Amino acid sequence: QKNEETLPLWNGLLAQEALPENIVFLHDESKGTGKEASAWSTDPQFVTSSRKIVGYAGGIKPANVAKVARDTMKACEKSGGKEFWIDMESGVRSKVISASGKGGGGGEEEDVFDLSKCYQCIDTICELGLIKQPSETFRTVMMEKSNDRR
């Protein structure tokens, strides 16, 4: 994860003559807090592998994923990258009231991974033509498994 706090780590990596193929930088100026980025890095030194892949994170959620995808695609191209990926965590989580809380009391608020938000993002990315739509069977199975866990 590339941000000002991790400067010693990524600066050291960039000082090497060649990086392993499995190293890809994730630009996240929010430092994992889920705050939306005001700009996306276009610095070519972070597109280091021959695969030319770079990642972006920070405040990405269903409501802004289309704009973020378009903006990060442009940033990736400007930096010399060929492919980009986006990372989301807080933007695809929801607060739910549990049926059985700790100690059996119930009614406690839980922070859960929300597949419906993930599918909203997937649908948007598919509408932009960046990926193919997953099969309806896959979606149904995943939603059923998600509902079983709640």
Side-chain angles (χ1 to χ4, degrees):
Q1 188 179 68
K2 182 241 169 236
N3 58 52
E4 66 211 30
E5 289 180 348
T6 59
L7 174 73
L9 176 62
W10 56 263
N11 221 8
L13 287 169
L14 290 173
Q16 296 183 39
E17 282 190 42
L19 291 175
E21 282 296 310
N22 64 345
I23 291 185
V24 177
F25 284 94
L26 170 66
H27 298 281
D28 184 5
E29 294 304 323
S30 80
K31 300 169 198 75
T33 63
K35 293 183 180 155
E36 197 168 336
S38 58
W40 305 99
S41 176
T42 59
D43 190 334
Q45 71 177 330
F46 297 105
V47 184
T48 55
S49 71
S50 62
R51 295 180 300 154
K52 304 283 188 200
I53 301 171
V54 64
Y56 299 93
I60 306 169
K61 54 190 169 278
N64 69 357
V65 72
K67 180 180 183 329
V68 168
R70 286 190 294 269
D71 291 349
T72 55
M73 184 169 38
K74 289 176 191 170
C76 176
E77 289 170 359
K78 192 171 183 180
S79 70
K82 293 181 181 173
E83 294 181 38
F84 73 98
W85 52 280
I86 54 178
D87 180 275
M88 299 177 238
E89 178 63 28
S90 59
V92 290
R93 298 188 75 77
S94 292
K95 303 280 187 195
V96 297
I97 305 299
S98 68
S100 60
K102 296 174 186 165
E108 293 181 27
E109 189 175 73
E110 287 185 71
D111 180 33
V112 298
F113 187 72
D114 190 334
L115 272 181
S116 64
K117 287 184 177 181
C118 293
Y119 280 115
Q120 288 174 29
C121 292
I122 291 169
D123 290 342
T124 300
I125 297 299
C126 290
E127 288 167 13
L128 293 173
L130 297 174
I131 62 171
K132 292 182 180 177
Q133 189 73 40
S135 73
E136 196 57 40
T137 303
F138 175 79
R139 182 183 301 239
T140 301
V141 168
M142 294 308 293
M143 292 301 285
E144 286 172 358
K145 286 183 179 183
S146 175
N147 290 335
D148 289 346
R149 288 186 206 134
R150 288 189 185 176

